Amino acid sequence: MRTTEHYFTVPLDHFGTATAPGTGDTAETITVFAREYVSTVHTEAEAEELPWLLFLQGGPGGRGNRFASLGGWSKAAARDFRILMLDQRGTGLSSPADRNTLPLRGTAEEQAAYLEHFRADSIVADAELIREVLGSGPWSIYGQSYGGFCALTYLSVAPDGLKEALITGGLAPLSGPADDIYRATFQRVAERNTEYFSWYPEDRRTVERIAGHLRRNEEFLPDGGRLTVERFQMVGAFLGGNTRVDGLHYLLEDAFTESLHGSRLSDAFLEQVQGIVSRLANPLYALMHESIYGQGQASDWAAWRVLQEHPEFHPDAMPLLLTGEMVYPWYFEQDAALKPLRQVAHLLAAKADWKPLYDCGQLANNTVPVAAAVYRDDIYVDRALSLETAAAVRGLQVWETPDFHHDGIADDGEAIFGRLLGMVRSARR
């Protein structure tokens, strides 16, 4: 493959008059980075004639994929497209927002006000500016998970910029409180726990042993942070995977080691767990996660509030259930990478005047070919809510399948991409 790096200067505020601090009336700008991937099957001249495919990454708060080689969905896409891998604003090389850079904005209130410009509507506005700079006509987009949420916003506010849209595991609810999402999510995660421990009954004993050990003893991750029972529950992130779910078994199988002071959690286990529970690399995920559902009302720590309806997920519950990708306020007390951003997180959770992200009227009259994979057993994007959204988008074709979970494109991305592309292309005929 060949790669090309692109840097774009975009307004911080596409929709208002935000000015750069200390500059009076100069509109503030930020940098957005994207990397172009092209297969060497195409000559440079041929590549210049290929249409663009913009990939919208899951998250929020995750930088674009860094490919060492083309494989899976990217291999399939590179046959017909120039792939543009976007670092969504605030991630990767796109004016990163983290515990180091955000305090440069000033007070917690000023930091929260800055982050109001980091949702899907601003990401789509960045994409449209980038499309124009690249001289592209309407282009194709591919949204995975949160990237699918962004694709729905794109279809709502800038459909003229789109030739076609593919979505995997990312049909967001178009309305309603975040509470509805988490009620469905907790049910799905509980069911997935049951399924997992039916495969690996020995892991049920290991999980209880780890939980009991953490209640009686202090264990610390390599970064110095304490591993609590509730942080350990976060390893349930594996449960959202298709084949990745089996990685949970491999994590647990060598959790303990013997020491001069008796059984302790092994260094190998603690190192792996830190990579799962720390938000050092993607703090925007924790800060912005519930805001992706915010439309005219505060999230008010929705996952935490709904958790109180599910005592089976309490860290003192027996048997202990593992959780998923929900975000709780205690993250900002126990994760060293998030502690400096605690007040900012509370301000964002209390914000009640989030602007709408979707235009239901526009979606009901949509003319852009759209195909979406809905994974029947997806624990993060509920099937029923996804199908409800699909029905609200005119012409959206659904491929519903029990064969994959939320990260399906990591397992058979080539086939999934090819199927969805075929669906939108057949719709155009």
Side-chain angles (χ1 to χ4, degrees), residues 85-126:
M85 181 64 64
L86 184 68
D87 278 358
Q88 296 168 10
R89 53 172 51 202
T91 73
L93 297 176
S94 295
S95 295
D98 54 36
R99 62 174 179 169
N100 297 308
T101 62
L102 284 172
L104 297 174
R105 303 296 308 183
T107 66
E109 289 76 12
E110 289 169 320
Q111 294 174 53
Y114 177 71
L115 290 176
E116 291 176 11
H117 305 296
F118 284 72
R119 296 205 305 157
D121 49 356
S122 294
I123 293 169
V124 168
D126 290 341

mmCIF file of all heavy atoms in Angstrom, residues 85-126:
data_model
loop_
_atom_site.group_PDB
_atom_site.id
_atom_site.type_symbol
_atom_site.label_atom_id
_atom_site.label_comp_id
_atom_site.label_asym_id
_atom_site.label_seq_id
_atom_site.Cartn_x
_atom_site.Cartn_y
_atom_site.Cartn_z
ATOM 1 N N MET A 85 -8.673 7.716 6.196
ATOM 2 C CA MET A 85 -8.833 7.335 7.598
ATOM 3 C C MET A 85 -8.705 8.587 8.456
ATOM 4 O O MET A 85 -7.630 9.168 8.584
ATOM 5 C CB MET A 85 -7.760 6.311 7.979
ATOM 6 C CG MET A 85 -7.841 5.835 9.408
ATOM 7 S SD MET A 85 -9.353 4.926 9.790
ATOM 8 C CE MET A 85 -9.164 3.499 8.712
ATOM 9 N N LEU A 86 -9.821 9.001 9.039
ATOM 10 C CA LEU A 86 -9.884 10.254 9.763
ATOM 11 C C LEU A 86 -9.533 10.068 11.234
ATOM 12 O O LEU A 86 -10.022 9.147 11.886
ATOM 13 C CB LEU A 86 -11.307 10.815 9.649
ATOM 14 C CG LEU A 86 -11.608 12.176 10.252
ATOM 15 C CD1 LEU A 86 -10.888 13.272 9.476
ATOM 16 C CD2 LEU A 86 -13.128 12.430 10.236
ATOM 17 N N ASP A 87 -8.658 10.928 11.756
ATOM 18 C CA ASP A 87 -8.543 11.100 13.202
ATOM 19 C C ASP A 87 -9.597 12.139 13.578
ATOM 20 O O ASP A 87 -9.424 13.339 13.320
ATOM 21 C CB ASP A 87 -7.154 11.627 13.600
ATOM 22 C CG ASP A 87 -6.099 10.545 13.686
ATOM 23 O OD1 ASP A 87 -6.420 9.360 13.486
ATOM 24 O OD2 ASP A 87 -4.925 10.890 13.952
ATOM 25 N N GLN A 88 -10.710 11.684 14.147
ATOM 26 C CA GLN A 88 -11.770 12.628 14.492
ATOM 27 C C GLN A 88 -11.223 13.684 15.446
ATOM 28 O O GLN A 88 -10.313 13.427 16.231
ATOM 29 C CB GLN A 88 -12.937 11.875 15.125
ATOM 30 C CG GLN A 88 -13.597 10.905 14.161
ATOM 31 C CD GLN A 88 -14.564 9.955 14.853
ATOM 32 O OE1 GLN A 88 -14.887 10.120 16.030
ATOM 33 N NE2 GLN A 88 -15.011 8.944 14.129
ATOM 34 N N ARG A 89 -11.748 14.887 15.348
ATOM 35 C CA ARG A 89 -11.213 15.993 16.138
ATOM 36 C C ARG A 89 -11.022 15.603 17.596
ATOM 37 O O ARG A 89 -11.850 14.952 18.212
ATOM 38 C CB ARG A 89 -12.102 17.231 16.016
ATOM 39 C CG ARG A 89 -13.560 17.009 16.320
ATOM 40 C CD ARG A 89 -14.356 18.305 16.380
ATOM 41 N NE ARG A 89 -14.172 19.173 15.230
ATOM 42 C CZ ARG A 89 -14.396 20.473 15.223
ATOM 43 N NH1 ARG A 89 -14.849 21.064 16.325
ATOM 44 N NH2 ARG A 89 -14.219 21.207 14.149
ATOM 45 N N GLY A 90 -9.856 16.002 18.116
ATOM 46 C CA GLY A 90 -9.515 15.707 19.496
ATOM 47 C C GLY A 90 -8.772 14.407 19.698
ATOM 48 O O GLY A 90 -8.348 14.098 20.815
ATOM 49 N N THR A 91 -8.579 13.616 18.628
ATOM 50 C CA THR A 91 -7.930 12.312 18.748
ATOM 51 C C THR A 91 -6.685 12.256 17.866
ATOM 52 O O THR A 91 -6.559 12.997 16.897
ATOM 53 C CB THR A 91 -8.875 11.178 18.332
ATOM 54 O OG1 THR A 91 -9.036 11.183 16.896
ATOM 55 C CG2 THR A 91 -10.244 11.337 18.967
ATOM 56 N N GLY A 92 -5.789 11.350 18.186
ATOM 57 C CA GLY A 92 -4.615 11.127 17.355
ATOM 58 C C GLY A 92 -3.833 12.396 17.103
ATOM 59 O O GLY A 92 -3.397 13.086 18.027
ATOM 60 N N LEU A 93 -3.670 12.733 15.833
ATOM 61 C CA LEU A 93 -2.926 13.932 15.435
ATOM 62 C C LEU A 93 -3.843 15.120 15.169
ATOM 63 O O LEU A 93 -3.393 16.139 14.649
ATOM 64 C CB LEU A 93 -2.090 13.623 14.184
ATOM 65 C CG LEU A 93 -0.999 12.557 14.368
ATOM 66 C CD1 LEU A 93 -0.297 12.264 13.043
ATOM 67 C CD2 LEU A 93 0.011 12.986 15.416
ATOM 68 N N SER A 94 -5.113 14.987 15.537
ATOM 69 C CA SER A 94 -6.082 16.068 15.317
ATOM 70 C C SER A 94 -6.264 16.881 16.598
ATOM 71 O O SER A 94 -7.152 16.595 17.412
ATOM 72 C CB SER A 94 -7.430 15.490 14.856
ATOM 73 O OG SER A 94 -7.313 14.869 13.603
ATOM 74 N N SER A 95 -5.402 17.877 16.790
ATOM 75 C CA SER A 95 -5.469 18.751 17.981
ATOM 76 C C SER A 95 -5.964 17.979 19.193
ATOM 77 O O SER A 95 -7.083 18.191 19.666
ATOM 78 C CB SER A 95 -6.388 19.947 17.711
ATOM 79 O OG SER A 95 -5.858 20.766 16.699
ATOM 80 N N PRO A 96 -5.158 17.044 19.709
ATOM 81 C CA PRO A 96 -5.636 16.133 20.744
ATOM 82 C C PRO A 96 -6.157 16.838 21.986
ATOM 83 O O PRO A 96 -5.650 17.883 22.403
ATOM 84 C CB PRO A 96 -4.402 15.287 21.070
ATOM 85 C CG PRO A 96 -3.233 16.068 20.557
ATOM 86 C CD PRO A 96 -3.737 16.837 19.386
ATOM 87 N N ALA A 97 -7.194 16.251 22.566
ATOM 88 C CA ALA A 97 -7.795 16.755 23.803
ATOM 89 C C ALA A 97 -7.594 15.696 24.885
ATOM 90 O O ALA A 97 -8.149 14.594 24.793
ATOM 91 C CB ALA A 97 -9.282 17.030 23.595
ATOM 92 N N ASP A 98 -6.787 16.020 25.892
ATOM 93 C CA ASP A 98 -6.499 15.069 26.960
ATOM 94 C C ASP A 98 -6.138 15.819 28.234
ATOM 95 O O ASP A 98 -6.289 17.041 28.312
ATOM 96 C CB ASP A 98 -5.369 14.114 26.541
ATOM 97 C CG ASP A 98 -4.095 14.843 26.087
ATOM 98 O OD1 ASP A 98 -3.775 15.910 26.664
ATOM 99 O OD2 ASP A 98 -3.424 14.353 25.164
ATOM 100 N N ARG A 99 -5.658 15.109 29.238
ATOM 101 C CA ARG A 99 -5.383 15.714 30.543
ATOM 102 C C ARG A 99 -4.259 16.738 30.479
ATOM 103 O O ARG A 99 -4.140 17.576 31.378
ATOM 104 C CB ARG A 99 -5.019 14.632 31.559
ATOM 105 C CG ARG A 99 -3.754 13.846 31.209
ATOM 106 C CD ARG A 99 -3.370 12.889 32.307
ATOM 107 N NE ARG A 99 -2.172 12.140 31.939
ATOM 108 C CZ ARG A 99 -1.479 11.375 32.777
ATOM 109 N NH1 ARG A 99 -1.872 11.269 34.029
ATOM 110 N NH2 ARG A 99 -0.420 10.720 32.366
ATOM 111 N N ASN A 100 -3.436 16.670 29.429
ATOM 112 C CA ASN A 100 -2.349 17.639 29.270
ATOM 113 C C ASN A 100 -2.803 18.884 28.522
ATOM 114 O O ASN A 100 -2.471 20.004 28.915
ATOM 115 C CB ASN A 100 -1.174 16.990 28.526
ATOM 116 C CG ASN A 100 -0.570 15.835 29.289
ATOM 117 O OD1 ASN A 100 -0.231 15.970 30.460
ATOM 118 N ND2 ASN A 100 -0.436 14.692 28.638
ATOM 119 N N THR A 101 -3.564 18.696 27.446
ATOM 120 C CA THR A 101 -3.929 19.827 26.597
ATOM 121 C C THR A 101 -5.158 20.580 27.095
ATOM 122 O O THR A 101 -5.233 21.804 26.948
ATOM 123 C CB THR A 101 -4.191 19.354 25.160
ATOM 124 O OG1 THR A 101 -5.309 18.437 25.152
ATOM 125 C CG2 THR A 101 -2.976 18.633 24.587
ATOM 126 N N LEU A 102 -6.123 19.882 27.663
ATOM 127 C CA LEU A 102 -7.364 20.560 28.053
ATOM 128 C C LEU A 102 -7.149 21.646 29.113
ATOM 129 O O LEU A 102 -7.780 22.718 29.020
ATOM 130 C CB LEU A 102 -8.397 19.541 28.520
ATOM 131 C CG LEU A 102 -9.075 18.744 27.403
ATOM 132 C CD1 LEU A 102 -9.928 17.622 27.969
ATOM 133 C CD2 LEU A 102 -9.921 19.658 26.517
ATOM 134 N N PRO A 103 -6.298 21.441 30.121
ATOM 135 C CA PRO A 103 -6.095 22.522 31.097
ATOM 136 C C PRO A 103 -5.552 23.802 30.483
ATOM 137 O O PRO A 103 -5.682 24.880 31.084
ATOM 138 C CB PRO A 103 -5.108 21.907 32.092
ATOM 139 C CG PRO A 103 -5.383 20.441 32.033
ATOM 140 C CD PRO A 103 -5.669 20.187 30.576
ATOM 141 N N LEU A 104 -4.968 23.714 29.286
ATOM 142 C CA LEU A 104 -4.494 24.922 28.612
ATOM 143 C C LEU A 104 -5.658 25.832 28.222
ATOM 144 O O LEU A 104 -5.454 27.018 27.957
ATOM 145 C CB LEU A 104 -3.698 24.543 27.356
ATOM 146 C CG LEU A 104 -2.404 23.744 27.579
ATOM 147 C CD1 LEU A 104 -1.812 23.307 26.242
ATOM 148 C CD2 LEU A 104 -1.387 24.573 28.357
ATOM 149 N N ARG A 105 -6.868 25.273 28.209
ATOM 150 C CA ARG A 105 -8.047 26.074 27.866
ATOM 151 C C ARG A 105 -8.451 27.006 29.009
ATOM 152 O O ARG A 105 -9.168 27.976 28.790
ATOM 153 C CB ARG A 105 -9.239 25.164 27.548
ATOM 154 C CG ARG A 105 -9.011 24.156 26.442
ATOM 155 C CD ARG A 105 -8.776 24.780 25.120
ATOM 156 N NE ARG A 105 -9.794 25.753 24.736
ATOM 157 C CZ ARG A 105 -9.801 26.387 23.564
ATOM 158 N NH1 ARG A 105 -8.829 26.171 22.690
ATOM 159 N NH2 ARG A 105 -10.755 27.249 23.281
ATOM 160 N N GLY A 106 -8.030 26.662 30.243
ATOM 161 C CA GLY A 106 -8.405 27.491 31.390
ATOM 162 C C GLY A 106 -9.200 26.701 32.400
ATOM 163 O O GLY A 106 -8.853 25.560 32.737
ATOM 164 N N THR A 107 -10.295 27.262 32.876
ATOM 165 C CA THR A 107 -11.099 26.651 33.920
ATOM 166 C C THR A 107 -11.831 25.415 33.412
ATOM 167 O O THR A 107 -11.922 25.167 32.198
ATOM 168 C CB THR A 107 -12.149 27.649 34.440
ATOM 169 O OG1 THR A 107 -13.075 27.931 33.382
ATOM 170 C CG2 THR A 107 -11.494 28.948 34.914
ATOM 171 N N ALA A 108 -12.386 24.657 34.359
ATOM 172 C CA ALA A 108 -13.184 23.483 33.985
ATOM 173 C C ALA A 108 -14.353 23.888 33.097
ATOM 174 O O ALA A 108 -14.703 23.182 32.145
ATOM 175 C CB ALA A 108 -13.682 22.770 35.241
ATOM 176 N N GLU A 109 -14.963 25.039 33.393
ATOM 177 C CA GLU A 109 -16.069 25.537 32.578
ATOM 178 C C GLU A 109 -15.609 25.826 31.156
ATOM 179 O O GLU A 109 -16.329 25.520 30.185
ATOM 180 C CB GLU A 109 -16.675 26.791 33.207
ATOM 181 C CG GLU A 109 -17.464 26.557 34.485
ATOM 182 C CD GLU A 109 -16.577 26.318 35.711
ATOM 183 O OE1 GLU A 109 -15.350 26.549 35.619
ATOM 184 O OE2 GLU A 109 -17.114 25.899 36.754
ATOM 185 N N GLU A 110 -14.430 26.399 31.019
ATOM 186 C CA GLU A 110 -13.894 26.708 29.677
ATOM 187 C C GLU A 110 -13.518 25.426 28.939
ATOM 188 O O GLU A 110 -13.697 25.327 27.715
ATOM 189 C CB GLU A 110 -12.696 27.643 29.814
ATOM 190 C CG GLU A 110 -13.081 29.057 30.238
ATOM 191 C CD GLU A 110 -11.889 29.917 30.625
ATOM 192 O OE1 GLU A 110 -10.959 29.390 31.288
ATOM 193 O OE2 GLU A 110 -11.888 31.113 30.283
ATOM 194 N N GLN A 111 -13.027 24.445 29.655
ATOM 195 C CA GLN A 111 -12.710 23.164 29.025
ATOM 196 C C GLN A 111 -13.986 22.466 28.538
ATOM 197 O O GLN A 111 -14.023 21.920 27.428
ATOM 198 C CB GLN A 111 -11.964 22.263 30.014
ATOM 199 C CG GLN A 111 -10.591 22.777 30.415
ATOM 200 C CD GLN A 111 -9.955 21.933 31.503
ATOM 201 O OE1 GLN A 111 -9.857 20.707 31.370
ATOM 202 N NE2 GLN A 111 -9.530 22.565 32.589
ATOM 203 N N ALA A 112 -15.020 22.487 29.365
ATOM 204 C CA ALA A 112 -16.289 21.862 28.971
ATOM 205 C C ALA A 112 -16.893 22.572 27.766
ATOM 206 O O ALA A 112 -17.428 21.922 26.847
ATOM 207 C CB ALA A 112 -17.263 21.867 30.147
ATOM 208 N N ALA A 113 -16.803 23.904 27.748
ATOM 209 C CA ALA A 113 -17.336 24.661 26.616
ATOM 210 C C ALA A 113 -16.591 24.312 25.334
ATOM 211 O O ALA A 113 -17.188 24.222 24.249
ATOM 212 C CB ALA A 113 -17.231 26.160 26.902
ATOM 213 N N TYR A 114 -15.298 24.099 25.440
ATOM 214 C CA TYR A 114 -14.481 23.695 24.293
ATOM 215 C C TYR A 114 -14.946 22.341 23.756
ATOM 216 O O TYR A 114 -15.125 22.153 22.544
ATOM 217 C CB TYR A 114 -13.023 23.644 24.737
ATOM 218 C CG TYR A 114 -12.026 23.173 23.705
ATOM 219 C CD1 TYR A 114 -11.698 23.959 22.602
ATOM 220 C CD2 TYR A 114 -11.359 21.959 23.866
ATOM 221 C CE1 TYR A 114 -10.741 23.537 21.669
ATOM 222 C CE2 TYR A 114 -10.414 21.530 22.950
ATOM 223 C CZ TYR A 114 -10.101 22.317 21.857
ATOM 224 O OH TYR A 114 -9.163 21.900 20.943
ATOM 225 N N LEU A 115 -15.192 21.390 24.659
ATOM 226 C CA LEU A 115 -15.556 20.038 24.248
ATOM 227 C C LEU A 115 -16.964 19.945 23.678
ATOM 228 O O LEU A 115 -17.309 18.941 23.047
ATOM 229 C CB LEU A 115 -15.411 19.080 25.432
ATOM 230 C CG LEU A 115 -13.969 18.811 25.868
ATOM 231 C CD1 LEU A 115 -13.935 17.937 27.116
ATOM 232 C CD2 LEU A 115 -13.158 18.168 24.747
ATOM 233 N N GLU A 116 -17.766 20.985 23.862
ATOM 234 C CA GLU A 116 -19.094 20.983 23.237
ATOM 235 C C GLU A 116 -18.997 20.918 21.712
ATOM 236 O O GLU A 116 -19.970 20.560 21.038
ATOM 237 C CB GLU A 116 -19.865 22.237 23.647
ATOM 238 C CG GLU A 116 -20.277 22.255 25.118
ATOM 239 C CD GLU A 116 -20.940 23.556 25.509
ATOM 240 O OE1 GLU A 116 -21.262 24.362 24.595
ATOM 241 O OE2 GLU A 116 -21.140 23.791 26.713
ATOM 242 N N HIS A 117 -17.819 21.238 21.179
ATOM 243 C CA HIS A 117 -17.618 21.258 19.727
ATOM 244 C C HIS A 117 -17.017 19.951 19.207
ATOM 245 O O HIS A 117 -16.460 19.927 18.099
ATOM 246 C CB HIS A 117 -16.695 22.421 19.342
ATOM 247 C CG HIS A 117 -17.160 23.758 19.838
ATOM 248 N ND1 HIS A 117 -18.338 24.326 19.418
ATOM 249 C CD2 HIS A 117 -16.627 24.616 20.730
ATOM 250 C CE1 HIS A 117 -18.502 25.491 20.018
ATOM 251 N NE2 HIS A 117 -17.478 25.692 20.823
ATOM 252 N N PHE A 118 -17.127 18.880 19.997
ATOM 253 C CA PHE A 118 -16.450 17.641 19.612
ATOM 254 C C PHE A 118 -17.431 16.485 19.419
ATOM 255 O O PHE A 118 -17.075 15.328 19.593
ATOM 256 C CB PHE A 118 -15.383 17.280 20.667
ATOM 257 C CG PHE A 118 -14.152 18.132 20.548
ATOM 258 C CD1 PHE A 118 -14.179 19.463 20.919
ATOM 259 C CD2 PHE A 118 -12.979 17.610 20.030
ATOM 260 C CE1 PHE A 118 -13.053 20.274 20.787
ATOM 261 C CE2 PHE A 118 -11.849 18.401 19.898
ATOM 262 C CZ PHE A 118 -11.883 19.733 20.279
ATOM 263 N N ARG A 119 -18.650 16.797 19.014
ATOM 264 C CA ARG A 119 -19.637 15.754 18.767
ATOM 265 C C ARG A 119 -19.788 15.489 17.269
ATOM 266 O O ARG A 119 -19.087 16.047 16.435
ATOM 267 C CB ARG A 119 -20.971 16.145 19.390
ATOM 268 C CG ARG A 119 -20.915 16.251 20.911
ATOM 269 C CD ARG A 119 -22.279 16.037 21.541
ATOM 270 N NE ARG A 119 -23.283 16.945 20.990
ATOM 271 C CZ ARG A 119 -24.596 16.705 21.024
ATOM 272 N NH1 ARG A 119 -25.061 15.587 21.543
ATOM 273 N NH2 ARG A 119 -25.457 17.584 20.522
ATOM 274 N N ALA A 120 -20.741 14.631 16.933
ATOM 275 C CA ALA A 120 -20.886 14.158 15.553
ATOM 276 C C ALA A 120 -21.163 15.282 14.568
ATOM 277 O O ALA A 120 -20.715 15.237 13.417
ATOM 278 C CB ALA A 120 -21.996 13.110 15.470
ATOM 279 N N ASP A 121 -21.922 16.313 14.993
ATOM 280 C CA ASP A 121 -22.224 17.391 14.043
ATOM 281 C C ASP A 121 -20.959 18.114 13.602
ATOM 282 O O ASP A 121 -20.809 18.470 12.423
ATOM 283 C CB ASP A 121 -23.239 18.373 14.640
ATOM 284 C CG ASP A 121 -22.882 18.841 16.042
ATOM 285 O OD1 ASP A 121 -21.891 18.365 16.626
ATOM 286 O OD2 ASP A 121 -23.631 19.687 16.579
ATOM 287 N N SER A 122 -20.016 18.295 14.536
ATOM 288 C CA SER A 122 -18.761 18.950 14.177
ATOM 289 C C SER A 122 -17.860 18.030 13.356
ATOM 290 O O SER A 122 -17.160 18.480 12.446
ATOM 291 C CB SER A 122 -18.015 19.396 15.445
ATOM 292 O OG SER A 122 -18.733 20.406 16.123
ATOM 293 N N ILE A 123 -17.892 16.734 13.658
ATOM 294 C CA ILE A 123 -17.101 15.771 12.880
ATOM 295 C C ILE A 123 -17.583 15.745 11.433
ATOM 296 O O ILE A 123 -16.783 15.722 10.484
ATOM 297 C CB ILE A 123 -17.199 14.370 13.521
ATOM 298 C CG1 ILE A 123 -16.499 14.375 14.884
ATOM 299 C CG2 ILE A 123 -16.585 13.312 12.605
ATOM 300 C CD1 ILE A 123 -16.764 13.132 15.718
ATOM 301 N N VAL A 124 -18.890 15.784 11.238
ATOM 302 C CA VAL A 124 -19.445 15.801 9.878
ATOM 303 C C VAL A 124 -19.075 17.103 9.165
ATOM 304 O O VAL A 124 -18.729 17.094 7.975
ATOM 305 C CB VAL A 124 -20.974 15.615 9.924
ATOM 306 C CG1 VAL A 124 -21.603 15.916 8.566
ATOM 307 C CG2 VAL A 124 -21.310 14.194 10.370
ATOM 308 N N ALA A 125 -19.134 18.215 9.880
ATOM 309 C CA ALA A 125 -18.755 19.492 9.267
ATOM 310 C C ALA A 125 -17.285 19.478 8.862
ATOM 311 O O ALA A 125 -16.917 20.011 7.800
ATOM 312 C CB ALA A 125 -19.035 20.644 10.229
ATOM 313 N N ASP A 126 -16.433 18.865 9.678
ATOM 314 C CA ASP A 126 -15.024 18.691 9.295
ATOM 315 C C ASP A 126 -14.926 17.884 8.004
ATOM 316 O O ASP A 126 -14.171 18.238 7.082
ATOM 317 C CB ASP A 126 -14.258 17.947 10.393
ATOM 318 C CG ASP A 126 -14.039 18.750 11.654
ATOM 319 O OD1 ASP A 126 -14.149 19.989 11.613
ATOM 320 O OD2 ASP A 126 -13.738 18.135 12.702
#
